[in-house]
Amino acid sequence: MNLTPTRSSAIRRSATVLAALSLGVAALSGCSSDDDATDTSTTVASAQDTTTTAATDGELTMTGAWARTSPMMASNGAIYMEITNATDADDALLSVSVDPSIAATAELHETRAAGGDMGGDMGSSTTAPMMEMAEIDRLDIAAGEAVSLQPGGYHIMLMNLAAPLTEGQELVVTLTFENAGDIEVTAVVGDGAP
C-alpha cells in the first residue's frame, strides 16, 4: 500500500535485521517519528510467567512499550517497543492481538521505502522515496539480539480503532512467539515516546 507522507523523519532500523535508511518523510499518523523509550519493562521467563521486573540473562524481554495518541478521526494506530532475546535460542514474533474494545484487528507491519516521486515541480529531478507499509508473517529475533518496533520501521498496527487512543490510556497487547508462546505486554499511550 502506498502512503502519502505527512512529516519529515529519519527511519532507523535494528542493526541485526534492518539497514539504515534516511527518509525525507514519514507515513501514517500512527507511524510518525519519536526515538525515546520508557523505563518500564516486561520480563518473560516462560509463556506463562510475565512480570514487570528488569531483564536478566536468559529471558525474552519487552521494554518501552508505547502507542501514540490518535486524532479523533483516525481509524488506525500503532504500538512500539524493544524486544530483546537474551536466551540461547532464536525466536520469532508470529502474531499480535488486542481486545476488540481497542481495535478490530492488530497486525505486524513494516514501513519501508518503495521508491518513486514525492511530487513537487514537474520539471524537478529531485525525487524522494515513497513510503510503503506491509503486513509481515513473522519477525525473527535471533538469540542474544534485539529488535526495535519503532515509528517508520517494524510496528504493531491497530486497525479500525474502537475509539481514539488517549493520553495515559493503557493498552494490553498479546504477542505470540514461536518458542515463548503468548506474552501480554502493556503499552502506555502518549503524544510521543516517554
PDB file of all heavy atoms in Angstrom, residues 111-141:
ATOM      1  N   THR A 111       7.189  -0.617   7.793  1.00  0.00           N
ATOM      2  CA  THR A 111       7.168   0.545   6.913  1.00  0.00           C
ATOM      3  C   THR A 111       8.519   0.588   6.224  1.00  0.00           C
ATOM      4  O   THR A 111       9.554   0.470   6.863  1.00  0.00           O
ATOM      5  CB  THR A 111       6.943   1.845   7.702  1.00  0.00           C
ATOM      6  OG1 THR A 111       5.734   1.732   8.453  1.00  0.00           O
ATOM      7  CG2 THR A 111       6.846   3.045   6.784  1.00  0.00           C
ATOM      8  N   ARG A 112       8.500   0.734   4.894  1.00  0.00           N
ATOM      9  CA  ARG A 112       9.761   0.717   4.144  1.00  0.00           C
ATOM     10  C   ARG A 112       9.658   1.648   2.939  1.00  0.00           C
ATOM     11  O   ARG A 112       8.568   2.004   2.504  1.00  0.00           O
ATOM     12  CB  ARG A 112      10.075  -0.697   3.700  1.00  0.00           C
ATOM     13  CG  ARG A 112       8.998  -1.317   2.858  1.00  0.00           C
ATOM     14  CD  ARG A 112       9.301  -2.765   2.529  1.00  0.00           C
ATOM     15  NE  ARG A 112       8.154  -3.341   1.839  1.00  0.00           N
ATOM     16  CZ  ARG A 112       7.639  -4.511   2.118  1.00  0.00           C
ATOM     17  NH1 ARG A 112       8.164  -5.251   3.075  1.00  0.00           N
ATOM     18  NH2 ARG A 112       6.613  -4.966   1.455  1.00  0.00           N
ATOM     19  N   ALA A 113      10.802   2.006   2.404  1.00  0.00           N
ATOM     20  CA  ALA A 113      10.848   2.843   1.210  1.00  0.00           C
ATOM     21  C   ALA A 113      10.443   2.011   0.009  1.00  0.00           C
ATOM     22  O   ALA A 113      10.904   0.893  -0.167  1.00  0.00           O
ATOM     23  CB  ALA A 113      12.255   3.404   1.016  1.00  0.00           C
ATOM     24  N   ALA A 114       9.552   2.570  -0.819  1.00  0.00           N
ATOM     25  CA  ALA A 114       9.100   1.866  -2.015  1.00  0.00           C
ATOM     26  C   ALA A 114       9.646   2.502  -3.284  1.00  0.00           C
ATOM     27  O   ALA A 114       9.507   1.951  -4.354  1.00  0.00           O
ATOM     28  CB  ALA A 114       7.573   1.837  -2.059  1.00  0.00           C
ATOM     29  N   GLY A 115      10.252   3.695  -3.164  1.00  0.00           N
ATOM     30  CA  GLY A 115      10.762   4.405  -4.339  1.00  0.00           C
ATOM     31  C   GLY A 115       9.659   5.182  -5.015  1.00  0.00           C
ATOM     32  O   GLY A 115       8.482   4.938  -4.822  1.00  0.00           O
ATOM     33  N   GLY A 116      10.041   6.164  -5.819  1.00  0.00           N
ATOM     34  CA  GLY A 116       9.041   6.932  -6.565  1.00  0.00           C
ATOM     35  C   GLY A 116       9.157   8.406  -6.280  1.00  0.00           C
ATOM     36  O   GLY A 116       9.876   8.849  -5.406  1.00  0.00           O
ATOM     37  N   ASP A 117       8.444   9.187  -7.056  1.00  0.00           N
ATOM     38  CA  ASP A 117       8.465  10.642  -6.967  1.00  0.00           C
ATOM     39  C   ASP A 117       7.463  11.109  -5.920  1.00  0.00           C
ATOM     40  O   ASP A 117       6.334  10.655  -5.893  1.00  0.00           O
ATOM     41  CB  ASP A 117       8.107  11.238  -8.333  1.00  0.00           C
ATOM     42  CG  ASP A 117       8.317  12.734  -8.384  1.00  0.00           C
ATOM     43  OD1 ASP A 117       8.610  13.334  -7.344  1.00  0.00           O
ATOM     44  OD2 ASP A 117       8.184  13.292  -9.480  1.00  0.00           O
ATOM     45  N   MET A 118       7.883  12.033  -5.055  1.00  0.00           N
ATOM     46  CA  MET A 118       7.026  12.542  -3.992  1.00  0.00           C
ATOM     47  C   MET A 118       6.283  13.798  -4.413  1.00  0.00           C
ATOM     48  O   MET A 118       5.693  14.467  -3.600  1.00  0.00           O
ATOM     49  CB  MET A 118       7.864  12.853  -2.743  1.00  0.00           C
ATOM     50  CG  MET A 118       8.449  11.628  -2.101  1.00  0.00           C
ATOM     51  SD  MET A 118       7.194  10.478  -1.559  1.00  0.00           S
ATOM     52  CE  MET A 118       6.488  11.428  -0.253  1.00  0.00           C
ATOM     53  N   GLY A 119       6.326  14.153  -5.660  1.00  0.00           N
ATOM     54  CA  GLY A 119       5.608  15.349  -6.099  1.00  0.00           C
ATOM     55  C   GLY A 119       6.554  16.504  -6.301  1.00  0.00           C
ATOM     56  O   GLY A 119       7.727  16.319  -6.590  1.00  0.00           O
ATOM     57  N   GLY A 120       6.053  17.697  -6.152  1.00  0.00           N
ATOM     58  CA  GLY A 120       6.871  18.878  -6.386  1.00  0.00           C
ATOM     59  C   GLY A 120       6.707  19.334  -7.821  1.00  0.00           C
ATOM     60  O   GLY A 120       5.778  18.956  -8.525  1.00  0.00           O
ATOM     61  N   ASP A 121       7.635  20.187  -8.288  1.00  0.00           N
ATOM     62  CA  ASP A 121       7.579  20.692  -9.656  1.00  0.00           C
ATOM     63  C   ASP A 121       7.745  19.555 -10.643  1.00  0.00           C
ATOM     64  O   ASP A 121       8.579  18.676 -10.468  1.00  0.00           O
ATOM     65  CB  ASP A 121       8.687  21.734  -9.887  1.00  0.00           C
ATOM     66  CG  ASP A 121       8.470  22.983  -9.054  1.00  0.00           C
ATOM     67  OD1 ASP A 121       7.319  23.211  -8.629  1.00  0.00           O
ATOM     68  OD2 ASP A 121       9.458  23.704  -8.835  1.00  0.00           O
ATOM     69  N   MET A 122       6.949  19.603 -11.711  1.00  0.00           N
ATOM     70  CA  MET A 122       7.005  18.551 -12.723  1.00  0.00           C
ATOM     71  C   MET A 122       8.383  18.479 -13.361  1.00  0.00           C
ATOM     72  O   MET A 122       8.826  17.411 -13.742  1.00  0.00           O
ATOM     73  CB  MET A 122       5.940  18.802 -13.800  1.00  0.00           C
ATOM     74  CG  MET A 122       4.525  18.756 -13.240  1.00  0.00           C
ATOM     75  SD  MET A 122       3.936  17.105 -13.096  1.00  0.00           S
ATOM     76  CE  MET A 122       3.333  16.858 -14.752  1.00  0.00           C
ATOM     77  N   GLY A 123       9.073  19.627 -13.483  1.00  0.00           N
ATOM     78  CA  GLY A 123      10.390  19.649 -14.122  1.00  0.00           C
ATOM     79  C   GLY A 123      11.520  19.301 -13.181  1.00  0.00           C
ATOM     80  O   GLY A 123      12.658  19.186 -13.589  1.00  0.00           O
ATOM     81  N   SER A 124      11.228  19.122 -11.915  1.00  0.00           N
ATOM     82  CA  SER A 124      12.265  18.840 -10.923  1.00  0.00           C
ATOM     83  C   SER A 124      12.762  17.413 -11.060  1.00  0.00           C
ATOM     84  O   SER A 124      12.002  16.480 -11.253  1.00  0.00           O
ATOM     85  CB  SER A 124      11.712  19.053  -9.512  1.00  0.00           C
ATOM     86  OG  SER A 124      12.648  18.627  -8.559  1.00  0.00           O
ATOM     87  N   SER A 125      14.076  17.241 -10.932  1.00  0.00           N
ATOM     88  CA  SER A 125      14.656  15.897 -10.987  1.00  0.00           C
ATOM     89  C   SER A 125      14.823  15.318  -9.596  1.00  0.00           C
ATOM     90  O   SER A 125      15.298  14.210  -9.439  1.00  0.00           O
ATOM     91  CB  SER A 125      16.008  15.934 -11.707  1.00  0.00           C
ATOM     92  OG  SER A 125      16.907  16.730 -10.960  1.00  0.00           O
ATOM     93  N   THR A 126      14.423  16.080  -8.571  1.00  0.00           N
ATOM     94  CA  THR A 126      14.545  15.617  -7.196  1.00  0.00           C
ATOM     95  C   THR A 126      13.399  14.670  -6.865  1.00  0.00           C
ATOM     96  O   THR A 126      12.241  15.012  -7.051  1.00  0.00           O
ATOM     97  CB  THR A 126      14.507  16.801  -6.212  1.00  0.00           C
ATOM     98  OG1 THR A 126      15.528  17.707  -6.565  1.00  0.00           O
ATOM     99  CG2 THR A 126      14.696  16.330  -4.788  1.00  0.00           C
ATOM    100  N   THR A 127      13.745  13.482  -6.430  1.00  0.00           N
ATOM    101  CA  THR A 127      12.723  12.534  -6.018  1.00  0.00           C
ATOM    102  C   THR A 127      13.034  12.066  -4.609  1.00  0.00           C
ATOM    103  O   THR A 127      14.180  12.062  -4.182  1.00  0.00           O
ATOM    104  CB  THR A 127      12.657  11.307  -6.953  1.00  0.00           C
ATOM    105  OG1 THR A 127      13.925  10.658  -6.926  1.00  0.00           O
ATOM    106  CG2 THR A 127      12.279  11.704  -8.364  1.00  0.00           C
ATOM    107  N   ALA A 128      12.021  11.694  -3.914  1.00  0.00           N
ATOM    108  CA  ALA A 128      12.167  11.134  -2.569  1.00  0.00           C
ATOM    109  C   ALA A 128      11.425   9.808  -2.558  1.00  0.00           C
ATOM    110  O   ALA A 128      10.443   9.639  -3.275  1.00  0.00           O
ATOM    111  CB  ALA A 128      11.587  12.086  -1.525  1.00  0.00           C
ATOM    112  N   PRO A 129      11.878   8.867  -1.758  1.00  0.00           N
ATOM    113  CA  PRO A 129      11.208   7.565  -1.754  1.00  0.00           C
ATOM    114  C   PRO A 129       9.788   7.658  -1.196  1.00  0.00           C
ATOM    115  O   PRO A 129       9.519   8.402  -0.272  1.00  0.00           O
ATOM    116  CB  PRO A 129      12.093   6.706  -0.852  1.00  0.00           C
ATOM    117  CG  PRO A 129      12.919   7.651  -0.074  1.00  0.00           C
ATOM    118  CD  PRO A 129      12.999   8.921  -0.851  1.00  0.00           C
ATOM    119  N   MET A 130       8.903   6.892  -1.786  1.00  0.00           N
ATOM    120  CA  MET A 130       7.538   6.746  -1.265  1.00  0.00           C
ATOM    121  C   MET A 130       7.605   5.772  -0.105  1.00  0.00           C
ATOM    122  O   MET A 130       8.460   4.897  -0.071  1.00  0.00           O
ATOM    123  CB  MET A 130       6.609   6.173  -2.336  1.00  0.00           C
ATOM    124  CG  MET A 130       6.370   7.080  -3.522  1.00  0.00           C
ATOM    125  SD  MET A 130       5.370   8.499  -3.130  1.00  0.00           S
ATOM    126  CE  MET A 130       3.790   7.713  -2.858  1.00  0.00           C
ATOM    127  N   MET A 131       6.703   5.929   0.831  1.00  0.00           N
ATOM    128  CA  MET A 131       6.638   5.010   1.956  1.00  0.00           C
ATOM    129  C   MET A 131       5.593   3.951   1.654  1.00  0.00           C
ATOM    130  O   MET A 131       4.531   4.254   1.123  1.00  0.00           O
ATOM    131  CB  MET A 131       6.283   5.760   3.235  1.00  0.00           C
ATOM    132  CG  MET A 131       7.309   6.805   3.627  1.00  0.00           C
ATOM    133  SD  MET A 131       8.916   6.098   3.928  1.00  0.00           S
ATOM    134  CE  MET A 131       8.559   5.191   5.417  1.00  0.00           C
ATOM    135  N   GLU A 132       5.909   2.723   1.996  1.00  0.00           N
ATOM    136  CA  GLU A 132       5.007   1.609   1.795  1.00  0.00           C
ATOM    137  C   GLU A 132       4.927   0.845   3.106  1.00  0.00           C
ATOM    138  O   GLU A 132       5.937   0.618   3.758  1.00  0.00           O
ATOM    139  CB  GLU A 132       5.570   0.716   0.690  1.00  0.00           C
ATOM    140  CG  GLU A 132       4.849  -0.581   0.485  1.00  0.00           C
ATOM    141  CD  GLU A 132       5.521  -1.409  -0.589  1.00  0.00           C
ATOM    142  OE1 GLU A 132       6.525  -2.078  -0.279  1.00  0.00           O
ATOM    143  OE2 GLU A 132       5.041  -1.368  -1.727  1.00  0.00           O
ATOM    144  N   MET A 133       3.726   0.464   3.497  1.00  0.00           N
ATOM    145  CA  MET A 133       3.566  -0.312   4.716  1.00  0.00           C
ATOM    146  C   MET A 133       2.940  -1.642   4.347  1.00  0.00           C
ATOM    147  O   MET A 133       1.988  -1.694   3.574  1.00  0.00           O
ATOM    148  CB  MET A 133       2.685   0.418   5.719  1.00  0.00           C
ATOM    149  CG  MET A 133       2.663  -0.249   7.060  1.00  0.00           C
ATOM    150  SD  MET A 133       1.769   0.701   8.294  1.00  0.00           S
ATOM    151  CE  MET A 133       0.220   0.956   7.480  1.00  0.00           C
ATOM    152  N   ALA A 134       3.507  -2.722   4.894  1.00  0.00           N
ATOM    153  CA  ALA A 134       3.015  -4.053   4.559  1.00  0.00           C
ATOM    154  C   ALA A 134       2.974  -4.928   5.800  1.00  0.00           C
ATOM    155  O   ALA A 134       3.816  -4.812   6.692  1.00  0.00           O
ATOM    156  CB  ALA A 134       3.920  -4.686   3.516  1.00  0.00           C
ATOM    157  N   GLU A 135       1.987  -5.811   5.834  1.00  0.00           N
ATOM    158  CA  GLU A 135       1.903  -6.800   6.905  1.00  0.00           C
ATOM    159  C   GLU A 135       3.019  -7.820   6.698  1.00  0.00           C
ATOM    160  O   GLU A 135       3.366  -8.167   5.566  1.00  0.00           O
ATOM    161  CB  GLU A 135       0.544  -7.494   6.859  1.00  0.00           C
ATOM    162  CG  GLU A 135       0.354  -8.498   7.974  1.00  0.00           C
ATOM    163  CD  GLU A 135      -1.020  -9.147   7.973  1.00  0.00           C
ATOM    164  OE1 GLU A 135      -1.783  -8.956   7.005  1.00  0.00           O
ATOM    165  OE2 GLU A 135      -1.318  -9.848   8.948  1.00  0.00           O
ATOM    166  N   ILE A 136       3.609  -8.295   7.801  1.00  0.00           N
ATOM    167  CA  ILE A 136       4.636  -9.335   7.727  1.00  0.00           C
ATOM    168  C   ILE A 136       4.146 -10.564   8.488  1.00  0.00           C
ATOM    169  O   ILE A 136       3.353 -10.452   9.412  1.00  0.00           O
ATOM    170  CB  ILE A 136       6.003  -8.855   8.272  1.00  0.00           C
ATOM    171  CG1 ILE A 136       5.883  -8.374   9.725  1.00  0.00           C
ATOM    172  CG2 ILE A 136       6.575  -7.757   7.380  1.00  0.00           C
ATOM    173  CD1 ILE A 136       7.217  -8.035  10.378  1.00  0.00           C
ATOM    174  N   ASP A 137       4.609 -11.745   8.057  1.00  0.00           N
ATOM    175  CA  ASP A 137       4.176 -13.005   8.658  1.00  0.00           C
ATOM    176  C   ASP A 137       4.895 -13.326   9.960  1.00  0.00           C
ATOM    177  O   ASP A 137       4.354 -14.032  10.804  1.00  0.00           O
ATOM    178  CB  ASP A 137       4.414 -14.171   7.691  1.00  0.00           C
ATOM    179  CG  ASP A 137       3.525 -14.072   6.476  1.00  0.00           C
ATOM    180  OD1 ASP A 137       2.424 -13.502   6.583  1.00  0.00           O
ATOM    181  OD2 ASP A 137       3.931 -14.563   5.409  1.00  0.00           O
ATOM    182  N   ARG A 138       6.132 -12.836  10.101  1.00  0.00           N
ATOM    183  CA  ARG A 138       6.927 -13.132  11.292  1.00  0.00           C
ATOM    184  C   ARG A 138       8.036 -12.105  11.419  1.00  0.00           C
ATOM    185  O   ARG A 138       8.462 -11.514  10.447  1.00  0.00           O
ATOM    186  CB  ARG A 138       7.503 -14.549  11.240  1.00  0.00           C
ATOM    187  CG  ARG A 138       8.479 -14.778  10.111  1.00  0.00           C
ATOM    188  CD  ARG A 138       8.940 -16.228   9.958  1.00  0.00           C
ATOM    189  NE  ARG A 138       9.870 -16.601  10.994  1.00  0.00           N
ATOM    190  CZ  ARG A 138       9.757 -17.708  11.729  1.00  0.00           C
ATOM    191  NH1 ARG A 138       8.752 -18.545  11.540  1.00  0.00           N
ATOM    192  NH2 ARG A 138      10.644 -17.999  12.645  1.00  0.00           N
ATOM    193  N   LEU A 139       8.504 -11.936  12.657  1.00  0.00           N
ATOM    194  CA  LEU A 139       9.620 -11.053  12.941  1.00  0.00           C
ATOM    195  C   LEU A 139      10.640 -11.875  13.718  1.00  0.00           C
ATOM    196  O   LEU A 139      10.426 -12.197  14.893  1.00  0.00           O
ATOM    197  CB  LEU A 139       9.156  -9.838  13.749  1.00  0.00           C
ATOM    198  CG  LEU A 139      10.220  -8.823  14.138  1.00  0.00           C
ATOM    199  CD1 LEU A 139      10.947  -8.283  12.907  1.00  0.00           C
ATOM    200  CD2 LEU A 139       9.592  -7.682  14.919  1.00  0.00           C
ATOM    201  N   ASP A 140      11.714 -12.270  13.045  1.00  0.00           N
ATOM    202  CA  ASP A 140      12.736 -13.103  13.672  1.00  0.00           C
ATOM    203  C   ASP A 140      13.553 -12.295  14.672  1.00  0.00           C
ATOM    204  O   ASP A 140      13.920 -11.143  14.413  1.00  0.00           O
ATOM    205  CB  ASP A 140      13.663 -13.694  12.604  1.00  0.00           C
ATOM    206  CG  ASP A 140      12.954 -14.708  11.727  1.00  0.00           C
ATOM    207  OD1 ASP A 140      12.257 -15.568  12.279  1.00  0.00           O
ATOM    208  OD2 ASP A 140      13.094 -14.622  10.492  1.00  0.00           O
ATOM    209  N   ILE A 141      13.831 -12.931  15.820  1.00  0.00           N
ATOM    210  CA  ILE A 141      14.644 -12.310  16.864  1.00  0.00           C
ATOM    211  C   ILE A 141      15.696 -13.335  17.256  1.00  0.00           C
ATOM    212  O   ILE A 141      15.419 -14.291  17.982  1.00  0.00           O
ATOM    213  CB  ILE A 141      13.793 -11.884  18.074  1.00  0.00           C
ATOM    214  CG1 ILE A 141      12.629 -11.001  17.602  1.00  0.00           C
ATOM    215  CG2 ILE A 141      14.646 -11.141  19.100  1.00  0.00           C
ATOM    216  CD1 ILE A 141      11.474 -10.949  18.536  1.00  0.00           C
TER     217      ILE A 141
END
